[in-house]
Amino acid sequence: MKKITILLLTSILLIGCTIVRIDTKSIDNIVSVILSKQNKLYNQVGKGYKYYIPRNVTYIDTNELNDRLYSNGNYYYLYIDVIGYYHQKVLDYQVNEGAYYSRKLDFNGKQGYLEINKYKNKYFIEFMYNYAKIEAVVNKEDINDVVLNASYILSTIKFNSNVIKLMLDKDFFSNKESKYDIFTAKKQIESFLQYFDEEENQEQEIDEEVD
């Protein structure tokens, strides 16, 4: 009788809950599992968009449509491409065979790419999906954790078309359209890496003064 009861309870738990196992040692698996799910959660709202921040990630601030986040010693820079979304711009990305990791993404009608390259003694993560992009420069041992958090954030991006249309009608982006083109963002990447270097140098100078 006890065995029958246990089996019944187990069946109820399996039917009522969706158990998702993620192999966090595999970047491919992390991305595929999370982006394939349609998560409607959100706890952060911006101008024309909203998304979910995992518990171990902290929101720092927003500069126009760029959000800065922080987790476990790493800063994440989130860029929202409302213009690309509004015009439904098509992704044009070729897999970079010379990168540490490069993959074109296509899940649930949403496209993007994940590219990771060695940068000095760290790794530059460029993760674009669903008209939003996360960039971060991290140590090798942090790559999978950052990809995991970024996957959750980007998979939950939701746009408010009415708000975006109102912003465009008011010429909100009249002088910013090229700035928010994250599909062909070579200059933006160079700018980001330069900004990262400046921030890192400032932190080193502060540490030296404290010592």
Side-chain angles (χ1 to χ4, degrees):
M1 182 66 180
K2 289 183 178 179
K3 289 183 178 180
I4 295 175
T5 303
I6 292 171
L7 287 172
L8 286 173
L9 288 173
T10 303
S11 298
I12 292 171
L13 289 171
L14 290 175
I15 293 171
C17 302
T18 301
I19 300 175
V20 179
R21 297 183 183 277
I22 302 176
D23 177 8
T24 55
K25 294 181 181 179
S26 167
I27 296 177
D28 278 334
N29 194 63
I30 291 172
V31 173
S32 296
V33 171
I34 297 177
L35 297 190
S36 63
K37 302 297 178 182
Q38 298 194 41
N39 195 331
K40 296 183 180 180
L41 292 176
Y42 71 91
N43 53 16
Q44 182 66 30
V45 179
K47 293 180 179 179
Y49 65 95
K50 59 185 179 181
Y51 61 93
Y52 176 75
I53 302 176
R55 291 182 179 180
N56 61 326
V57 178
T58 302
Y59 168 81
I60 302 297
D61 56 27
T62 298
N63 179 12
E64 294 183 345
L65 293 173
N66 302 336
D67 290 3
R68 189 162 59 121
L69 312 172
Y70 177 85
S71 176
N72 194 30
N74 295 305
Y75 286 97
Y76 300 53
Y77 297 86
L78 172 63
Y79 306 92
I80 307 296
D81 185 7
V82 296
I83 291 176
Y85 167 79
Y86 186 78
H87 295 294
Q88 290 296 288
K89 191 167 184 177
V90 178
L91 173 68
D92 181 18
Y93 176 76
Q94 300 296 323
V95 171
N96 181 2
E97 300 293 345
Y100 174 81
Y101 182 93
S102 177
R103 179 182 175 185
K104 188 173 181 177
L105 308 171
D106 191 347
F107 296 93
N108 301 314
K110 300 173 183 177
Q111 295 184 325
Y113 63 87
L114 171 58
E115 183 168 318
I116 304 173
N117 288 286
K118 186 82 179 287
Y119 181 70
K120 296 183 178 180
N121 62 334
K122 293 179 181 289
Y123 287 81
F124 172 49
I125 297 175
E126 185 186 359
F127 194 161
M128 201 289 286
Y129 182 71
N130 188 28
Y131 299 102
K133 181 197 283 186
I134 286 179
E135 293 178 340
V137 178
V138 305
N139 293 320
K140 186 174 183 179
E141 60 268 23
D142 293 334
I143 289 175
N144 288 26
D145 285 341
V146 173
V147 170
L148 179 68
N149 288 329
S151 296
Y152 277 118
I153 294 168
L154 295 176
S155 68
T156 57
I157 296 284
K158 298 290 185 301
F159 293 95
N160 187 321
S161 299
N162 292 329
V163 172
I164 293 172
K165 185 177 185 304
L166 182 62
M167 292 163 67
L168 290 171
D169 287 345
K170 289 185 175 181
D171 295 326
F172 183 83
F173 299 107
S174 58
N175 297 316
K176 304 182 178 67
E177 187 154 354
S178 61
K179 182 178 179 180
Y180 288 97
D181 183 3
I182 64 176
F183 286 86
T184 55
K186 182 66 176 176
K187 290 183 179 179
Q188 183 184 12
I189 292 171
E190 293 173 352
S191 177
F192 168 78
L193 293 176
Q194 181 180 357
Y195 173 77
F196 171 79
D197 287 338
E198 291 172 354
E199 287 286 299
E200 191 174 50
N201 290 335
Q202 288 177 5
E203 290 179 0
Q204 289 177 352
E205 289 174 2
I206 292 173
D207 291 338
E208 290 173 358
E209 290 177 1
V210 172
D211 293 339

